[in-house]
Amino acid sequence: MNRSIDKELDGPRACFIAAGLDVLGERWALLALREMSLGVHRFDQIARNTGASRDILTGRLRTLESRGVIERVQYSEHPPRYEYHLTTSGAEVAPILISLAAWSSAWMRDETPRASYQHSCGADLQPVVSCAVCGEEFAQGSLMLGPLVSAAGAEPASED
Amino acid sequence: MNRSIDKELDGPRACFIAAGLDVLGERWALLALREMSLGVHRFDQIARNTGASRDILTGRLRTLESRGVIERVQYSEHPPRYEYHLTTSGAEVAPILISLAAWSSAWMRDETPRASYQHSCGADLQPVVSCAVCGEEFAQGSLMLGPLVSAAGAEPASED
DNA sequence: ACAAGTAGGTTGGAAAATCCAACTTACTCC
DNA sequence: GGAGTAAGTTGGATTTTCCAACCTACTTGT
């Protein structure tokens, strides 16, 4: 089991973390998604609230749209004006934002006053991540490599 | 409540998500942490498995070290050789990697075969994020802005 | 003993991404 | 009729990143 760690990779590790970062890891992408999660949908506001340059933001929004994370919704025809909304896929980025906010809140406190986050129950953000299958909380070192998978489905084990 | 969303910000939103991305959002940082989570601790291997250029990786590892996320452990004196290990703070990045891997696995499937991840119970990665206080699962739109906080503690409400 | 390999970098120069301020278009509001 | 708003686009400067080669000090093989 977990032979994959010891085996020499012939190139960079192709995994779902790397694939996710391909889309969400570009600068400003997660902050733009944060804004939409908070109900901010218009270009100028997203640009202001994130601090992204307008040209770069345009590019990011196009990428996120092409990857199905957000969609452009036209709200004016003349002139053409659009709002940006999360798709289902985009809404499901929330756990990433939640984990990031919680980690940052726990470890990145400095003098700067910052907006914190809460669960809708009113409590400070204290997310617990557990396994949907066995119900156990993810503990130290409980993230492990699994088999290779692609759109076609799981691959059979390799012969090493 | 949640006046903060409607209020015009005078600058970019200073929040813990943005602060976290300051450290973890630079290119290659999360992939380097992924490697350490998987038990890979040496420079050459981290460079190979992430695909990062060696010079950039050097910079990232220094930043992560200076922010207390990883530590350099010397394992040879002549010549000086180091391993990189997660600190407690670094180990707690795991929920972010888990959420990212799960999102990516759900939404980023294409033809490319990729390494998947599992919980240590052997099940495919299906994390559930719930609130430690009320126990409820984080549902759509349940991430909300809270008060401003800094190292000194919570700020009193502003006068708007 | 001597060459090759390993480990953890550093260096210089090219390429790509980002930043910034200004400009554009087509409205709406006063 | 002028100012303001919204969603970009543009050109040029700046910053990051990439890449391959180099360096030092061992260790291993012959």
Side-chain angles (χ1 to χ4, degrees):
Chain A
M1 69 294 309
N2 246 321
R3 66 223 176 282
S4 325
I5 293 169
D6 307 318
K7 184 169 60 182
E8 283 269 317
L9 300 168
D10 46 340
R13 194 189 295 281
C15 78
F16 281 107
I17 292 176
L21 286 172
D22 247 33
V23 182
L24 305 180
E26 291 182 302
R27 209 167 182 187
W28 308 115
L30 280 176
L31 291 183
L33 296 175
R34 171 197 70 184
E35 288 305 309
M36 294 174 221
S37 293
L38 294 175
V40 175
H41 300 289
R42 301 208 171 166
F43 186 88
D44 276 25
Q45 273 293 307
I46 296 171
R48 249 193 296 280
N49 294 357
T50 57
S53 313
R54 307 170 66 81
D55 51 351
I56 303 302
L57 182 61
T58 301
R60 282 299 169 278
L61 294 172
R62 294 295 176 278
T63 306
L64 290 171
E65 189 192 7
S66 76
R67 301 305 221 98
V69 182
I70 62 175
E71 52 193 356
R72 250 151 68 105
V73 180
Q74 189 161 26
Y75 71 90
S76 153
E77 277 203 77
H78 293 291
R81 289 287 178 267
Y82 303 92
E83 289 189 329
Y84 296 91
H85 286 263
L86 298 175
T87 60
T88 307
S89 148
E92 292 190 12
V93 169
I96 299 169
L97 297 176
I98 290 168
S99 308
L100 185 56
W103 180 85
S104 175
S105 175
W107 296 102
M108 294 289 106
R109 294 211 174 185
D110 53 19
E111 298 304 303
T112 327
R114 298 182 190 287
S116 62
Y117 289 93
Q118 303 179 334
H119 181 231
S120 51
C121 76
D124 288 348
L125 199 64
Q126 292 172 72
V128 176
V129 179
S130 47
C131 172
V133 176
C134 73
E136 290 285 309
E137 189 174 336
F138 273 83
Q140 256 244 15
S142 56
L143 177 65
M144 300 170 52
L145 280 171
L148 288 180
V149 298
S150 65
E155 299 284 307
S158 60
E159 72 308 331
D160 54 311
Chain B
M1 69 285 317
N2 247 319
R3 66 228 177 279
S4 324
I5 293 169
D6 307 318
K7 183 170 61 182
E8 283 269 319
L9 299 167
D10 46 341
R13 194 189 296 280
C15 77
F16 281 106
I17 293 175
L21 287 173
D22 247 32
V23 182
L24 305 180
E26 291 183 302
R27 210 168 180 187
W28 309 115
L30 280 175
L31 291 183
L33 295 175
R34 171 197 69 184
E35 288 305 310
M36 294 175 222
S37 292
L38 294 176
V40 174
H41 300 289
R42 302 210 171 163
F43 185 89
D44 276 26
Q45 273 293 307
I46 296 171
R48 250 193 296 280
N49 294 356
T50 57
S53 314
R54 307 167 66 79
D55 51 351
I56 303 301
L57 183 60
T58 301
R60 283 299 168 277
L61 294 172
R62 295 292 176 278
T63 306
L64 290 172
E65 190 192 6
S66 77
R67 302 303 221 101
V69 182
I70 62 174
E71 53 193 355
R72 249 150 70 105
V73 179
Q74 189 161 25
Y75 71 90
S76 152
E77 277 204 77
H78 295 290
R81 289 288 178 266
Y82 303 91
E83 289 189 328
Y84 295 91
H85 286 264
L86 298 175
T87 60
T88 306
S89 148
E92 292 190 12
V93 169
I96 299 169
L97 297 176
I98 290 168
S99 308
L100 185 56
W103 180 84
S104 175
S105 175
W107 296 103
M108 294 289 107
R109 293 208 176 189
D110 53 20
E111 297 306 303
T112 327
R114 297 181 191 287
S116 62
Y117 289 93
Q118 305 179 334
H119 181 231
S120 51
C121 76
D124 288 348
L125 199 64
Q126 294 172 73
V128 177
V129 180
S130 47
C131 171
V133 175
C134 74
E136 290 284 312
E137 189 174 335
F138 273 84
Q140 255 244 17
S142 55
L143 178 66
M144 301 169 52
L145 280 170
L148 289 181
V149 298
S150 64
E155 299 284 307
S158 61
E159 74 305 336
D160 55 312

